[in-house]
Every structure is written in structure tokens, then in C-alpha cells.
Amino acid sequence: MLRVRHLEISDLITAVDLADGRRLPVRRDEVVRQLRDSGDEPAARIVAGLPADRDGTLDPDAVDRLLISVHTELQRLSEELRIGNRLVHLLGPLFTAIRADGGHPGPYRLVDIGCGLGYLVRWLAATGALGPDVELIGVDLNAALVGEADRLARAEGLDCRFVHGNAFELPEAATVYVSTGVLHHFGAAALAGFFRTQAASPALAFCHFDIAATSLAPIGARVFHRARMRHPLGRHDGVVSARRAHDDETLLRAAAVPGMRALLYEPRGLSNPFCTTLRPILGVRPQLEPPLRQALGRASRRLVGPEHLGPVRGEATR
Ligand SMILES: C[S@@+](CC[C@H](N)C(=O)[O-])C[C@H]1O[C@@H](n2cnc3c(N)ncnc32)[C@H](O)[C@@H]1O
């Protein structure tokens, strides 16, 4: 029987040399084959319809235009889900805790990893929600998205910047690393490496939002992406993202890296699956946990550590 793996088209139609960031050619028939092998014939058909040259290499400009248009639709979802406000609900108290911890005078820096079109960074710059002492930077592996994020920020006259780079190399130092909708792109093993890299840096915390792996997530994603997204690629990847979302256990175990206290906000059992669409996994330097909880007030009851999982039940799997 065919093993069904969840692959996102957007991960397959672009390729980058991780050593130097150079764009690599992608063969259309190779992507179609991968999708067929994964048991996803509808996705294979979407890719088979993308423009390619006579050698069968996907047209890089057409791919860029497509990804920018899909990410523009994604930005509308972020606006609707009020991602900026959700992030500030936690990051506001986190920066309060960092400012209160006398050892770390500002200015501070927030780096959004896998920023796409940089909606979150541009929203934070436009609202000034984190305060004037927080510099705002977005990083993404896709140079076309970074270029468009930069163009939008200039057009909007915003004080923020965007950098082409890999989440596992961290081209920009940060006080706090954040992301939205990125963690499910990494398998469980890579996820631990992602958090370890940040813990090994001078950063004081990370706060990564991704789709909550509830039983309602795949159906919710199907309804929402069908209603809000026009291109079949965006609809497809939106639903697959929800299927790939990491569960509580995987997130908490992966984030429990040396030097950081792992904390999950709104875990299963403390959240309403109808309301919790995205929620964050945090890592904070241990001395910051008490002031963070104090600054969060009642909301800190929704923040749990790995002890919430109970005794170890073996390694987390996906
Ligand atoms: C689903 S999109 C989310 C974009 C944006 N954060 C948002 O919420 O609209 C995932 C993003 O992660 C980026 N990405 C994937 N792997 C990456 C890596 N290793 N380093 C940096 N960015 C990465 C992709 O290029 C893409 O822009």
C-alpha cells in the first residue's frame, strides 16, 4: 500500500544551496514524482501545471510570482487571525520581564525566522507594539519573499529590515527569536536542532507560533483555506500544514534544550480547540520564568513546562 506522507508543494518547488544561499534549479518531473510517491496525486497535478522550460526545469520567476501571491493570501489569514495581537499578548510580558532583569539593558532585537513577506515584523513596526527599544528583523530562506518583504516595508515607510538566511544558521543575533507557521516545516529531529541553535546563541528567549495540533485543525484548515485562498497551491499547503503540526509532547521535548526552560502556551486540555488555531512554544532563560509569569498575570496559568506531560513515555514521534 502507498505510504501517505504530507509534503508541501512550496517546500519542493524552490531549492537553495545551504552553503552559499544560491538558488538551485528544480526539475518539475522530479517534484511530480515525489508527490506521486507520497500518495498525493492532486498535488502532483498542481505542479505538473506549473511553467517549465524545454529541459523541464521549473521557471524560477513564475515560481517566485506564485509564492509571493500565495503568501499575500497568507498575510490576509494572519490579519484575520490577529497574529500580531496574539504575539504581543506574550511578547509584551516577555519584554517586560527582560527589561526588569537588570542584567540586560536595551536596545533589544527581535528576529522573525521564516518571515515570508514579513507581515508580523511590518505589523510590529507599524504599531510600535513592543516599544521603541526593540529592533525588528525578518529572516527567510526564500530570497524572492525577502525582497518583497523589503519592498513592502519601504513602501510603508517602516523601520525594520529583512535578511536572506537559513533558520539553522541564524544570520542575525537576537534578544528574542520568533516565528509563525514555520515549525511544521521541520521534522521532530530538526526541530530540536532549531531550538538548540537559538539556545546556544546569546538570545534570552524564543517564542515560535504554529498550528495547534488539535483534532479540529485539519478540517478547520480545509474550511478556512478554501474560503480565503484562491490558488490551489495555497489551499493544498494550508491543509497539509495542519496535518503536519507538531503535537504538545513533540514541541515540549524538542524545546527542552540546555540553557532554556521550555514552556508551551495553551496545551491540549487548557485550550478550546475552536479558538486555539495557533499557539506558541517558548524557551526562556530560567531566571526569566518568574518575572514572565508575573507580567502575564492570570494568563500564566495557560503556560506549562515539560512536567505537564507526566513521566516520559518514550521518544516523541510524528
Ligand atoms: C508557511 S510560511 C510562513 C511565513 C510567515 N511566517 C507567515 O506567517 O506568513 C513558512 C516560511 O518559512 C520559510 N522557511 C522554510 N524553511 C526555512 C529555513 N530553513 N530558514 C528560513 N526560512 C525558512 C519559507 O520560505 C516560508 O517563507
Side-chain angles (χ1 to χ4, degrees):
M1 207 177 85
L2 204 57
R3 194 170 94 83
V4 178
R5 283 188 302 140
H6 302 304
L7 298 176
E8 284 181 63
I9 298 171
S10 54
D11 284 342
L12 304 177
I13 60 175
T14 57
V16 169
D17 183 332
L18 291 179
D20 59 12
R22 211 166 28 94
R23 177 97 174 243
L24 298 172
V26 177
R27 291 196 56 82
R28 184 173 60 188
D29 57 0
E30 175 57 21
V31 179
V32 168
R33 187 194 57 73
Q34 280 185 66
L35 289 164
R36 287 217 168 103
D37 287 354
S38 77
D40 193 344
E41 184 57 33
R45 277 201 300 275
I46 293 171
V47 174
L50 297 180
D53 67 13
R54 273 195 287 178
D55 296 335
T57 300
L58 283 171
D59 176 346
D61 295 332
V63 166
D64 286 349
R65 282 195 299 276
L66 176 58
L67 289 180
I68 288 173
S69 113
V70 167
H71 276 78
T72 303
E73 293 191 334
L74 200 56
Q75 166 166 329
R76 284 190 218 119
L77 286 192
S78 300
E79 287 165 5
E80 235 166 287
L81 293 173
R82 303 176 69 239
I83 294 299
N85 298 85
R86 284 176 192 227
L87 193 105
V88 168
H89 173 67
L90 277 160
L91 283 197
L94 181 58
F95 274 103
T96 301
I98 289 171
R99 288 184 187 104
D101 184 45
H104 304 285
Y108 307 107
R109 183 187 280 175
L110 175 134
V111 174
D112 180 12
I113 304 176
C115 63
L117 292 182
Y119 167 70
L120 180 68
V121 164
R122 289 185 287 113
W123 185 91
L124 290 169
T127 58
L130 293 178
D133 57 346
V134 182
E135 185 190 0
L136 302 164
I137 300 177
V139 173
D140 202 284
L141 194 56
N142 184 310
L145 296 178
V146 168
E148 182 64 5
D150 194 51
R151 188 190 70 76
L152 291 167
R154 283 164 194 256
E156 293 158 2
L158 298 173
D159 186 13
C160 54
R161 64 189 174 89
F162 295 93
V163 178
H164 182 211
N166 181 5
F168 294 86
E169 306 259 314
L170 298 181
E172 294 288 338
T175 314
V176 179
Y177 287 105
V178 301
S179 70
T180 58
V182 173
L183 298 184
H184 65 268
H185 287 272
F186 310 140
L191 198 60
F194 176 69
F195 294 136
R196 256 197 311 273
T197 307
Q198 291 158 49
S201 80
L204 297 178
F206 56 72
C207 179
H208 296 290
F209 279 71
D210 203 6
I211 303 160
T214 63
S215 50
L216 290 177
I219 179 74
R222 182 173 292 278
V223 171
F224 209 50
H225 285 84
R226 241 202 128 67
R228 287 287 177 261
M229 300 197 88
R230 292 291 160 262
H231 197 281
L233 185 154
R235 290 179 170 180
H236 173 272
D237 282 6
V239 174
V240 170
S241 308
R243 295 216 177 97
R244 297 171 87 191
H246 295 289
D247 61 26
D248 292 2
E249 185 162 349
T250 304
L251 288 172
L252 273 168
R253 294 212 190 290
V257 288
M260 286 290 185
R261 163 81 169 141
L263 294 165
L264 182 65
Y265 194 64
E266 295 193 334
R268 233 187 160 98
L270 288 182
S271 63
N272 176 344
F274 288 98
C275 303
T276 304
T277 44
L278 283 102
R279 50 82 203 269
I281 177 83
L282 292 94
V284 299
R285 298 296 174 200
Q287 79 274 12
L288 289 175
E289 184 182 355
L292 170 62
R293 287 191 177 279
Q294 193 182 4
L296 271 170
R298 285 168 62 86
S300 76
R301 289 183 299 184
R302 294 191 222 152
L303 205 52
V304 302
E307 62 281 0
H308 177 78
L309 298 171
V312 178
R313 279 178 277 156
E315 278 306 299
T317 52
R318 287 197 61 194

